[in-house]
Amino acid sequence: MTQDNLIALLIETTVLKRLPRTGWLLRGVPDAESIADHSFGTAFVVLALADLLNASGTLPAPLDAGKALTIAVLHDLPEARLTDLPGPTKHLIPREVKVEAEVKALAALTAALPSSASFQALWREFEDETSPEGRLVKDADKVEMMIQCLRYELNGSRGLDDFWASMDRQEWHYPLCTDIYARLKGMRPGNR
Amino acid sequence: MTQDNLIALLIETTVLKRLPRTGWLLRGVPDAESIADHSFGTAFVVLALADLLNASGTLPAPLDAGKALTIAVLHDLPEARLTDLPGPTKHLIPREVKVEAEVKALAALTAALPSSASFQALWREFEDETSPEGRLVKDADKVEMMIQCLRYELNGSRGLDDFWASMDRQEWHYPLCTDIYARLKGMRPGNR
Amino acid sequence: MTQDNLIALLIETTVLKRLPRTGWLLRGVPDAESIADHSFGTAFVVLALADLLNASGTLPAPLDAGKALTIAVLHDLPEARLTDLPGPTKHLIPREVKVEAEVKALAALTAALPSSASFQALWREFEDETSPEGRLVKDADKVEMMIQCLRYELNGSRGLDDFWASMDRQEWHYPLCTDIYARLKGMRPGNR
Amino acid sequence: MTQDNLIALLIETTVLKRLPRTGWLLRGVPDAESIADHSFGTAFVVLALADLLNASGTLPAPLDAGKALTIAVLHDLPEARLTDLPGPTKHLIPREVKVEAEVKALAALTAALPSSASFQALWREFEDETSPEGRLVKDADKVEMMIQCLRYELNGSRGLDDFWASMDRQEWHYPLCTDIYARLKGMRPGNR
Amino acid sequence: MTQDNLIALLIETTVLKRLPRTGWLLRGVPDAESIADHSFGTAFVVLALADLLNASGTLPAPLDAGKALTIAVLHDLPEARLTDLPGPTKHLIPREVKVEAEVKALAALTAALPSSASFQALWREFEDETSPEGRLVKDADKVEMMIQCLRYELNGSRGLDDFWASMDRQEWHYPLCTDIYARLKGMRPGNR
Amino acid sequence: MTQDNLIALLIETTVLKRLPRTGWLLRGVPDAESIADHSFGTAFVVLALADLLNASGTLPAPLDAGKALTIAVLHDLPEARLTDLPGPTKHLIPREVKVEAEVKALAALTAALPSSASFQALWREFEDETSPEGRLVKDADKVEMMIQCLRYELNGSRGLDDFWASMDRQEWHYPLCTDIYARLKGMRPGNR
C-alpha cells in the first residue's frame, strides 16, 4: 500500500462522521448520532462487556478483547460507501444482496491494508456470528443501540416503541446482555 | 382507501423532510438539503421549464405540465423507504435490484390511492424516459441538482468537482437544459 | 426571458430550502422543516386528495389535479423574498399589506416566465379561495401543517396546542379534510 | 406588572435565541447566528466603543454607556414577534409599516414593565438616530454585522459581497466606526 | 489600544455565538443555545428586574441599571477562551483554579480597552457578590437559566430534573427572584 | 460492578456523541464533529497504522494492536466529564491540573469495571508516551485531527492555518506519521 492509498482511505472514512444513523432520522430524532458515533459507542460497550465477562469466570475461555475491538471498529465500515440502510429496506433489498454489497465495500475500502483478508474474515465472524468475539460485537451493537434509544427517550424523544418491540425478539448471545436489555427496558420513562 | 391509510401515508411521507440528500453529506456540505427540499426544487424547475418550452414553439407537441408536475412530486417518493442511495452504491447494489426496490416501495406507499397503478406507470415513464414529460423530469432532476451544487459553491463549498465531471457526460433530452447546464458551469467560482 | 433570468430565478428559489417555517421555530421545535419541505408536502397532499376526491364521485365536477399541483408549487413562492411571517405578525402587519407584498414578490419572481400573469392569477385563486383547485390547496396547506404538527408531537415535541386550537376554528372546504383533521386530532399523544 | 406577566415576557423573549438572522440564511451561511447572538454582539460592541470614545477625549460630552447598553439590548426586541425581515422585504413592505409594527411590538412586549414608555422612547432614539447613544447603537449594529460577516468569510463563506457593497454606502456617525469598517474590509480574504 | 487590537477582540468574541451551553448538551437538549444567547438573555433579565426592583420602592437605594447591564454583558466573557465548563468539572478542577483562569482570561481579552481594570473589578463584584448590581446579575444568571430550562421542558425536553434540584438549594439575593423561581417551578409540565 | 453501574456508565458515555470538538467550533467550522466521532476516527487510524507498521518489518517488536485499540477507545473518555478543553485553555489552566482532572475523571468513570486500574495505566502510557502503543495512539490522535482538518479545508473551510502551524512543530514518534503529515500538508487547497 502506498501512503496515498492509506490517506485516501482515511479521508473517505471520515464520512462516517457525517452520515446519520437513519433509524433515528426516520423517527424524527433531532441531531441524530452519526455512524461514527455509534461505532465508537459499540467499541466502548465491547471494551466494558469483554472486561466484565472475562472477570466473571463464566466463560469456557476468555474473550480476546483486542480482536473484539477490531471487529467493533470494522463492523460498520462498509457504510462509508453504502450508508446506513434502515429497517424498511429489508423488505426491498434482499438480505444477500445487502451482505454481498457490504462484503465488496469492505474489501474495496481495506484493499491496500496488509491484513485486508484477515479484516474481512473478522467481519464475517461478526456477520455470521461464528466466533465468541463476533457474537459479542453482535450483542454490543444492539446494546449500544438500546442505550442510545433509552437516552433519547429520557431526553424527551417519543415514537421509538418499535425499536423495543423489535429487540424483544432479539436472541442475545450472552446472558449479561439479556439482563442489561431487561434493565434498560425497565428504565423507560413510561415504566417508572 | 380508508382515511387511516391515507393519514399513515401522509405521516410516513414527512420523513422525506428529514432524510438528507446523501451526495452532499458524503462531500461535507453542511446543512445539506432534504429529499423533500430537492423534490420541491425539481417540481419548480419542471414548472418553469415546461412553461418556457411550451412557449418556445420548438416542440412537436406541447408538454402536459400537470402530468410532469405529478411525476416530479412522485419521482423520489420511494426514498421514503429506501433513503437516498448515493453514487458509490451503484458499484455495490445492481441497478436492477435498486429499480425493483423503488418500484416495490412506490407500489406499497401508494397502495391505497385510487390511481396507484397510474402513478406507478408515470414513475416508469420517468425512470425509463419513455414520454416527453418523463424525460423532462429526468432533465429537471439534474438541472435542479446542479443549480443547488452551484449554489453551494457560490456559498463557499468545495470538493464538488465530481458532480460536474459526472454531468459533463450527461445526455440531456432538451437543448434548453444543455444550454442551462453550460451556463451554470460558466458561473462556477473558479470560472469567473 | 433569457436563460440568465431563468437561472437567477432558480438560484433564488433555493433559499426556500434554507428558510425555516417560523411557526415551529417560535415554539422550540428542533430541526424545523424548511418552507420547501412544506411546499413539497403540500404538493403531495394535493396529489393524494385530488385523487381521492375525484374517485369519490362526490364532486360536481372533477378537480384539475395538474392545476392544483401548479398552485401548490407556487403557493409559498413569495416567501423566497418575504420569508415566513409567523402568526404574531398578523396583529402587526395589516393583512392587505402582507397580501400586496406577496403579490408583488410573486410578480417579480416570475416576471420572466411566459405564463407569469397566469401564475399570478392561479395564486389569487388560492389566496381568495375562488376556484375548487384554489380551495383544495388551501385545505391541503392546513392538512399538511397538522400532519407535520402531529408528527412533531408523536416524536416528543410539546407546546403546540395553539396550532390545534387555531385549526379547531378552521372552515374546511372539503368534508374529506374535516374528517382527516378530526382523525389527526384523535391521534395526538394526549388523546390515546 | 404581575410576576406572571414578567415570566410570560421572559419566556417569549427566548425565541430570539431560536430565530436566525435571515440575511445569512438567504446567502447560504450554515449554522447562522440567532437574533440573540447578534444582540449580545451589539451590546458588547457598544461597551467597547463607548469605552474607547469616552477615553478618546474627542467627544463634546461623554456617552452614557448604561443608556447605550439599554438601547442595544432593546434594539431587536420587536423581532421576537416580527422575526428578522431581510433586505428584500424593503421593496415589499413599506418602511413606515415596518417601523410601526416594531413600535407596536415593543409596546406590547414591554407593556408590563414600569419603564415601558421610557424604553420605547429609547428605541426611537435608536431608530431615528436622535441621540448620541442612539447613534452609537446604530453604528454598533452595523459594525457587529460586518465583524460577523468577515468572520464568516475568514471561515470560508462566500457570496456575501452585497453586504460590503451595501455598507460602502453607510454613513457612519462616529469616525472610529468609519475607520473600523475600512480595516475590516482590508481583512477580507480576497484582499490579502 | 490600536484599532487592530479592538478588531481582534471583537472577532474573538464572536466565538461565544458558536460555543454551546454545555449543561444542555450533556442532557441531550437539541439545538442547545449558545453562550451569547444566554448572555443576551441575562442582560434582558437584568434590564427587566432592575426596572421592577427600582419601581418597587423596596430597595434601600436604587440599582444602577447601566452598571448591572455592563456586568451582565461581561459575566461570561471569559468563556470565549475557557468554554463553558459544565457542572461535573466542579469535582475535577478546583474552584480557585477556575476563577483564576477566568480572571486571567478577562484581563487578557479586555487588555486593550481603557477601562479594563474597571471591567475586571465589575466582574469580581459579580463573582464575589459584593455589590447590589453584582448580586442582581448573579440572580439574573440563574433566573435566565431556569426560564430557558422551563422553555425546553415546555417544548418536550426531559431529563432536566437536576437543574431544578440544584436550584432548590439556591440562595437568591432578591425576594423577587425567589418568587419568580417558585412560579417557574409551578409551571413545569409535570406540575400542571 | 452491578449492572446498574455499568448501565449508568454506558449512558453517561453517550454524551461524547453530543459534545463537539471545540477546536473546530472556535474556528467556525459548521457541523463540527463530536468527540465520539474523533475517538472512532482515532481507533480506525490506529487499526490501519498498526497493521502497516507491523507488516513493514521496521519495528524492533510488533505492536500489540488490541492494546493500542483499547488505548484509542479510552484516550478521550475523561472528556465525558471535562468536555474538550481547547488550545487557549492551556494558558489558563495549568497542565498538571488538567491531567489530574483527566486522571480523576477516568478513575471515576471506570470505577466499576474489573480492569479499571489497568485501563488507567494504559491511559497513562498514552499521556506519558511510555509504551510503543501509547506513542502510536499519540501519533494517531494527531494524524486523525489533521485528516479531518484537511477534509474540512477540501470542503471549503478556511481559517485553520494554526492547526498546521502547530503540527509543524509536532515530534512524531513513527516516521510513517511524519510522512503522512507531510503528504497531508501537500494536499491542502492552497498547495495545489
Side-chain angles (χ1 to χ4, degrees):
Chain A
M1 168 182 245
T2 70
Q3 266 75 308
D4 288 342
N5 288 346
L6 171 65
I7 288 171
L9 165 64
L10 297 182
I11 289 180
E12 183 172 0
T13 309
T14 63
V15 303
L16 292 171
K17 304 174 181 185
R18 302 293 323 281
L19 289 170
R21 291 264 287 172
T22 47
W24 309 126
L25 270 198
L26 291 178
R27 283 155 192 92
V29 174
D31 293 349
E33 64 172 336
S34 68
I35 298 173
D37 279 333
H38 162 70
S39 285
F40 168 73
T42 302
F44 186 72
V45 170
V46 161
L47 188 78
L49 293 183
D51 192 37
L52 282 162
L53 288 167
N54 281 341
S56 70
T58 63
L59 301 181
L63 289 155
D64 179 343
K67 177 179 168 182
L69 281 181
T70 302
I71 297 175
V73 169
L74 293 172
H75 89 287
D76 275 343
L77 197 63
E79 299 191 0
R81 294 204 175 162
L82 262 182
T83 74
D84 178 30
L85 302 180
T89 61
K90 278 185 204 152
H91 308 290
L92 299 168
I93 296 178
R95 191 178 130 75
E96 62 273 17
V97 171
K98 190 188 167 198
V99 172
E100 196 186 319
E102 290 173 320
V103 166
K104 268 199 212 169
L106 186 65
L109 282 161
T110 61
L113 289 174
S115 303
S116 175
S118 158
F119 292 149
Q120 295 175 57
L122 286 174
W123 187 85
R124 291 245 57 140
E125 291 182 24
F126 160 75
E127 180 64 23
D128 300 339
E129 313 182 359
T130 49
S131 70
E133 289 80 12
R135 287 188 288 269
L136 178 68
V137 180
K138 266 285 173 207
D139 274 12
D141 186 30
K142 300 303 184 190
V143 164
E144 207 283 329
M145 180 172 75
M146 298 318 291
I147 289 277
Q148 185 59 60
C149 187
L150 177 63
R151 180 81 208 237
Y152 285 140
E153 289 187 333
L154 293 173
N155 292 341
S157 282
R158 294 294 173 267
L160 302 174
D161 293 343
D162 55 351
F163 275 86
W164 298 97
S166 151
M167 278 302 113
D168 283 349
R169 296 186 299 271
Q170 180 76 1
E171 294 184 20
W172 303 92
H173 297 292
Y174 292 89
L176 174 59
C177 296
T178 311
D179 182 39
I180 290 171
Y181 175 67
R183 287 166 190 266
L184 292 176
K185 210 174 158 186
M187 293 168 74
R188 295 186 71 192
N191 284 4
R192 291 190 300 183
Chain B
M1 169 183 245
T2 71
Q3 266 75 311
D4 288 341
N5 287 346
L6 171 65
I7 288 171
L9 165 64
L10 297 182
I11 289 180
E12 183 172 359
T13 309
T14 62
V15 303
L16 293 170
K17 305 175 181 186
R18 302 293 322 281
L19 289 169
R21 293 263 289 171
T22 47
W24 309 126
L25 271 198
L26 291 178
R27 283 156 191 90
V29 174
D31 293 349
E33 65 172 336
S34 68
I35 297 173
D37 279 333
H38 163 70
S39 286
F40 168 73
T42 302
F44 186 72
V45 170
V46 161
L47 188 79
L49 293 183
D51 192 37
L52 282 162
L53 289 167
N54 280 341
S56 70
T58 62
L59 300 181
L63 289 156
D64 179 341
K67 176 180 168 181
L69 281 180
T70 303
I71 297 175
V73 169
L74 293 171
H75 90 287
D76 274 343
L77 197 63
E79 300 190 1
R81 294 205 176 161
L82 261 183
T83 74
D84 178 31
L85 302 181
T89 61
K90 279 185 203 152
H91 308 291
L92 299 170
I93 296 178
R95 190 177 130 77
E96 62 273 15
V97 171
K98 190 189 166 196
V99 171
E100 197 187 317
E102 291 173 320
V103 166
K104 266 199 213 169
L106 185 64
L109 282 161
T110 62
L113 289 174
S115 303
S116 175
S118 157
F119 291 149
Q120 295 174 58
L122 286 174
W123 188 86
R124 291 247 54 142
E125 291 183 22
F126 160 75
E127 179 64 23
D128 300 338
E129 313 182 357
T130 49
S131 70
E133 289 80 11
R135 287 189 288 270
L136 178 67
V137 180
K138 266 285 173 208
D139 273 13
D141 186 30
K142 298 303 184 192
V143 163
E144 207 283 330
M145 180 172 76
M146 298 318 292
I147 289 277
Q148 186 58 61
C149 187
L150 176 62
R151 180 80 209 237
Y152 285 139
E153 289 187 334
L154 292 173
N155 291 340
S157 281
R158 294 293 174 268
L160 302 174
D161 293 344
D162 54 351
F163 275 86
W164 298 98
S166 152
M167 278 302 112
D168 283 349
R169 296 186 300 271
Q170 180 75 1
E171 295 184 20
W172 302 93
H173 297 292
Y174 293 89
L176 174 58
C177 296
T178 311
D179 182 38
I180 290 170
Y181 175 67
R183 286 167 190 266
L184 292 176
K185 210 175 158 185
M187 293 168 74
R188 295 186 71 192
N191 284 4
R192 290 191 301 185
Chain C
M1 167 182 246
T2 70
Q3 266 75 309
D4 287 342
N5 287 346
L6 171 65
I7 288 171
L9 165 63
L10 297 182
I11 289 180
E12 183 173 0
T13 309
T14 62
V15 304
L16 293 171
K17 304 175 182 186
R18 302 294 321 281
L19 289 169
R21 293 263 287 171
T22 46
W24 309 126
L25 270 197
L26 291 178
R27 284 156 191 89
V29 174
D31 292 350
E33 64 172 336
S34 68
I35 297 173
D37 279 333
H38 163 70
S39 286
F40 168 73
T42 303
F44 186 72
V45 170
V46 162
L47 187 79
L49 292 183
D51 192 36
L52 282 162
L53 288 167
N54 280 341
S56 70
T58 62
L59 300 180
L63 289 156
D64 180 341
K67 177 180 168 181
L69 281 180
T70 302
I71 297 175
V73 169
L74 294 171
H75 90 287
D76 275 343
L77 198 62
E79 300 191 0
R81 293 205 176 162
L82 262 183
T83 73
D84 178 31
L85 302 181
T89 62
K90 278 185 205 152
H91 308 291
L92 300 169
I93 296 178
R95 190 178 131 76
E96 62 273 14
V97 171
K98 190 189 166 195
V99 171
E100 196 186 318
E102 291 173 321
V103 165
K104 266 199 212 168
L106 186 64
L109 282 162
T110 61
L113 289 174
S115 302
S116 175
S118 158
F119 291 148
Q120 294 175 58
L122 286 174
W123 187 86
R124 291 247 52 142
E125 291 183 22
F126 159 76
E127 180 63 24
D128 300 338
E129 313 182 358
T130 50
S131 70
E133 288 80 12
R135 288 189 287 271
L136 178 68
V137 180
K138 265 285 174 209
D139 274 12
D141 187 28
K142 299 302 185 191
V143 164
E144 207 282 330
M145 181 172 75
M146 299 317 293
I147 289 276
Q148 185 59 59
C149 187
L150 176 63
R151 180 80 208 237
Y152 285 140
E153 289 187 334
L154 293 173
N155 291 342
S157 281
R158 295 294 174 266
L160 302 174
D161 292 345
D162 55 350
F163 275 87
W164 297 98
S166 152
M167 279 303 113
D168 283 350
R169 298 186 299 271
Q170 179 77 1
E171 295 184 20
W172 301 94
H173 297 291
Y174 293 90
L176 173 58
C177 295
T178 311
D179 182 38
I180 290 171
Y181 175 67
R183 287 166 190 266
L184 292 176
K185 211 175 159 187
M187 293 167 75
R188 294 187 71 194
N191 283 4
R192 291 191 301 184
Chain D
M1 167 182 246
T2 70
Q3 267 75 309
D4 288 341
N5 288 345
L6 171 65
I7 289 172
L9 166 62
L10 297 182
I11 290 181
E12 182 172 0
T13 309
T14 61
V15 304
L16 293 170
K17 305 175 180 185
R18 303 293 321 283
L19 289 169
R21 293 264 287 171
T22 47
W24 309 126
L25 270 198
L26 291 178
R27 283 156 191 91
V29 174
D31 291 350
E33 64 172 336
S34 68
I35 297 172
D37 279 333
H38 162 70
S39 286
F40 167 74
T42 302
F44 186 73
V45 170
V46 161
L47 187 80
L49 293 182
D51 192 38
L52 283 161
L53 289 166
N54 280 342
S56 71
T58 63
L59 300 182
L63 290 156
D64 179 341
K67 177 180 168 180
L69 281 181
T70 302
I71 298 175
V73 169
L74 294 171
H75 89 287
D76 274 344
L77 197 63
E79 300 191 1
R81 293 206 177 161
L82 263 182
T83 74
D84 178 31
L85 302 181
T89 62
K90 279 186 205 151
H91 308 292
L92 299 170
I93 296 178
R95 190 178 129 76
E96 61 274 14
V97 171
K98 190 189 166 196
V99 171
E100 197 187 318
E102 290 173 321
V103 166
K104 266 199 213 169
L106 186 64
L109 281 162
T110 61
L113 289 174
S115 302
S116 175
S118 159
F119 292 150
Q120 294 175 58
L122 286 174
W123 188 86
R124 291 245 55 140
E125 291 183 22
F126 160 75
E127 180 63 23
D128 300 338
E129 312 181 359
T130 49
S131 70
E133 289 79 11
R135 288 190 287 272
L136 178 68
V137 180
K138 266 284 173 208
D139 274 13
D141 186 30
K142 300 302 186 192
V143 164
E144 207 282 330
M145 180 172 75
M146 299 317 292
I147 289 277
Q148 186 59 61
C149 187
L150 176 62
R151 180 81 209 236
Y152 285 140
E153 290 187 335
L154 293 173
N155 291 342
S157 281
R158 295 293 174 266
L160 302 175
D161 292 343
D162 55 351
F163 275 85
W164 298 98
S166 152
M167 280 301 113
D168 282 349
R169 297 185 300 271
Q170 180 76 359
E171 295 183 19
W172 302 93
H173 297 291
Y174 293 89
L176 173 58
C177 296
T178 311
D179 182 38
I180 290 171
Y181 175 67
R183 287 166 191 266
L184 292 176
K185 210 174 159 187
M187 293 168 75
R188 294 187 72 194
N191 283 4
R192 292 190 300 186
Chain E
M1 168 182 244
T2 71
Q3 265 75 309
D4 288 342
N5 288 346
L6 171 65
I7 288 172
L9 165 63
L10 297 182
I11 289 180
E12 183 173 359
T13 309
T14 62
V15 304
L16 293 171
K17 305 174 180 186
R18 303 293 322 282
L19 288 170
R21 293 264 287 171
T22 47
W24 309 127
L25 270 198
L26 291 178
R27 284 155 190 91
V29 174
D31 292 349
E33 64 171 337
S34 68
I35 297 172
D37 279 333
H38 162 71
S39 285
F40 168 73
T42 302
F44 186 72
V45 170
V46 162
L47 187 78
L49 293 183
D51 192 37
L52 283 162
L53 288 167
N54 281 341
S56 70
T58 62
L59 300 181
L63 290 156
D64 179 341
K67 177 180 167 181
L69 281 181
T70 302
I71 298 175
V73 169
L74 293 171
H75 89 286
D76 274 343
L77 197 63
E79 301 190 359
R81 293 205 176 161
L82 261 182
T83 75
D84 179 29
L85 302 181
T89 62
K90 278 184 205 154
H91 308 291
L92 300 169
I93 296 178
R95 190 178 129 76
E96 62 273 15
V97 171
K98 190 188 167 197
V99 172
E100 197 186 318
E102 290 173 321
V103 166
K104 268 199 211 167
L106 186 64
L109 282 162
T110 62
L113 289 174
S115 303
S116 175
S118 159
F119 292 149
Q120 294 175 58
L122 286 174
W123 187 86
R124 291 247 54 140
E125 291 184 22
F126 160 75
E127 179 63 22
D128 300 339
E129 313 182 359
T130 50
S131 70
E133 289 79 11
R135 286 189 288 269
L136 178 67
V137 180
K138 265 286 172 204
D139 274 11
D141 186 30
K142 299 303 185 191
V143 164
E144 207 282 331
M145 180 172 76
M146 298 318 292
I147 289 277
Q148 185 59 60
C149 187
L150 176 63
R151 180 80 208 238
Y152 286 140
E153 289 186 334
L154 293 173
N155 292 342
S157 281
R158 295 294 174 266
L160 303 173
D161 293 344
D162 55 350
F163 275 86
W164 299 98
S166 153
M167 280 301 113
D168 283 349
R169 297 186 299 270
Q170 180 76 0
E171 295 185 20
W172 302 93
H173 297 290
Y174 293 89
L176 174 58
C177 296
T178 312
D179 182 39
I180 289 171
Y181 175 67
R183 287 166 192 266
L184 292 176
K185 209 174 159 187
M187 293 167 75
R188 294 187 72 194
N191 284 4
R192 293 189 300 183
Chain F
M1 167 181 246
T2 71
Q3 266 76 311
D4 288 342
N5 288 345
L6 170 65
I7 288 171
L9 165 63
L10 297 182
I11 289 180
E12 183 172 359
T13 309
T14 62
V15 304
L16 294 170
K17 305 174 180 185
R18 302 294 321 281
L19 289 169
R21 292 264 287 171
T22 47
W24 309 126
L25 270 198
L26 291 178
R27 283 156 191 91
V29 174
D31 293 349
E33 65 172 335
S34 67
I35 298 173
D37 280 334
H38 162 70
S39 286
F40 169 73
T42 303
F44 187 72
V45 170
V46 161
L47 188 79
L49 293 182
D51 192 37
L52 283 161
L53 288 167
N54 280 340
S56 70
T58 63
L59 301 181
L63 289 155
D64 179 341
K67 177 181 168 180
L69 281 180
T70 302
I71 297 175
V73 169
L74 293 171
H75 90 286
D76 275 344
L77 197 63
E79 300 190 0
R81 294 206 176 161
L82 262 182
T83 74
D84 178 30
L85 302 181
T89 61
K90 278 186 206 153
H91 308 292
L92 300 170
I93 296 178
R95 189 178 130 76
E96 62 273 16
V97 171
K98 190 189 166 198
V99 171
E100 197 187 317
E102 290 173 321
V103 166
K104 267 199 214 167
L106 186 65
L109 281 162
T110 61
L113 289 175
S115 302
S116 175
S118 158
F119 292 150
Q120 294 175 58
L122 287 174
W123 187 86
R124 290 245 57 140
E125 291 183 22
F126 160 76
E127 181 63 23
D128 300 338
E129 313 182 359
T130 49
S131 70
E133 288 80 11
R135 287 189 288 270
L136 178 67
V137 180
K138 266 284 172 207
D139 275 12
D141 187 29
K142 299 303 184 190
V143 164
E144 207 282 330
M145 181 173 75
M146 298 318 292
I147 289 276
Q148 185 59 61
C149 187
L150 176 63
R151 181 79 208 239
Y152 285 140
E153 290 188 333
L154 293 173
N155 291 342
S157 281
R158 294 293 174 267
L160 303 174
D161 292 345
D162 54 351
F163 275 86
W164 297 98
S166 152
M167 279 302 113
D168 283 350
R169 297 186 299 271
Q170 179 76 1
E171 295 184 20
W172 302 93
H173 298 291
Y174 292 89
L176 173 59
C177 295
T178 311
D179 181 39
I180 290 172
Y181 175 66
R183 287 167 192 265
L184 291 177
K185 210 175 159 186
M187 292 168 75
R188 295 186 71 194
N191 284 4
R192 291 189 301 184

